[in-house]
Amino acid sequence: MNSDRSTPSADAKSIAVRSIEFVAAGSREDFDAIIHPDAVNHETKTEPPHTRVRGPGSWHATALWLRRPFADLHFEIGNVVAEGDLVAVEVTMSGRHVGLFLNFDEGGAVAGAFPPTGRSFAVTQSHWVRLEDSLVIEHWANRDDLGMAEQLGWLQPSPAYLVRMLWARSRARKSPPA
């Protein structure tokens, strides 16, 4: 679906890349400048409930959710391809696990809690961004969440880490983060 005002390919690529890079270091104002007020991020189903809204607030909330547990969060941009109003961006996301990471079920309850391991990770992702009126209107992603979990020690955890995970989930469920 093309918008009435077409976005030249180079501009579309730049906007899509910035929408990803801003997750690591962008401000709310940065997201306001490139995310459509009615934009939908289709990747928020395991994120906190407050990220599951339309518009730039969703992207900013997702960014803050990821920045809390992951220091040195970075997206290395690989290939970027645009056709019409759709842009595909290949990235490697990296960081270091220094804070509690929470994921959520579809109802918004804490589903998993992963205390900091201090480990670093680097995983590949592909992001698909659709633009309308030179703003991001939709986003989808394919991520290597399994690879990230393996690198961070979340899978096949030691007995001690398993206890820490269970304790952290129990605490988070009793007092969900803001």
Side-chain angles (χ1 to χ4, degrees), residues 16-65:
V17 165
R18 284 185 291 155
S19 75
I20 295 162
E21 291 177 333
F22 286 168
V23 171
S27 67
R28 171 62 195 256
E29 291 76 24
D30 291 329
F31 287 105
D32 287 341
I34 63 166
I35 306 296
H36 194 283
D38 291 325
V40 176
N41 181 357
H42 297 284
E43 300 306 316
T44 61
K45 63 184 172 247
T46 61
E47 296 181 14
H50 66 278
T51 68
R52 302 174 192 181
V53 297
R54 290 183 175 264
S58 175
W59 269 258
H60 187 244
T62 292
L64 296 177
W65 171 67

Side-chain angles (χ1 to χ4, degrees), residues 75 89-93 123-127 142-145:
F75 294 87
V89 183
E90 171 195 32
V91 305
T92 299
M93 177 179 151
V123 293
T124 58
Q125 303 176 336
S126 39
H127 294 266
N142 294 308
R143 304 179 313 246
D144 183 8
D145 292 344

Side-chain angles (χ1 to χ4, degrees), residues 134-148:
S134 299
L135 297 172
V136 173
I137 189 75
E138 286 188 278
H139 168 262
W140 303 263
N142 294 308
R143 304 179 313 246
D144 183 8
D145 292 344
L146 178 61
M148 184 172 131

Side-chain angles (χ1 to χ4, degrees), residues 150-167:
E150 288 174 338
Q151 291 175 44
L152 294 178
W154 298 353
L155 290 180
Q156 298 182 357
S158 69
Y161 188 70
L162 184 57
V163 168
R164 289 179 58 212
M165 288 169 55
L166 294 171
W167 182 79

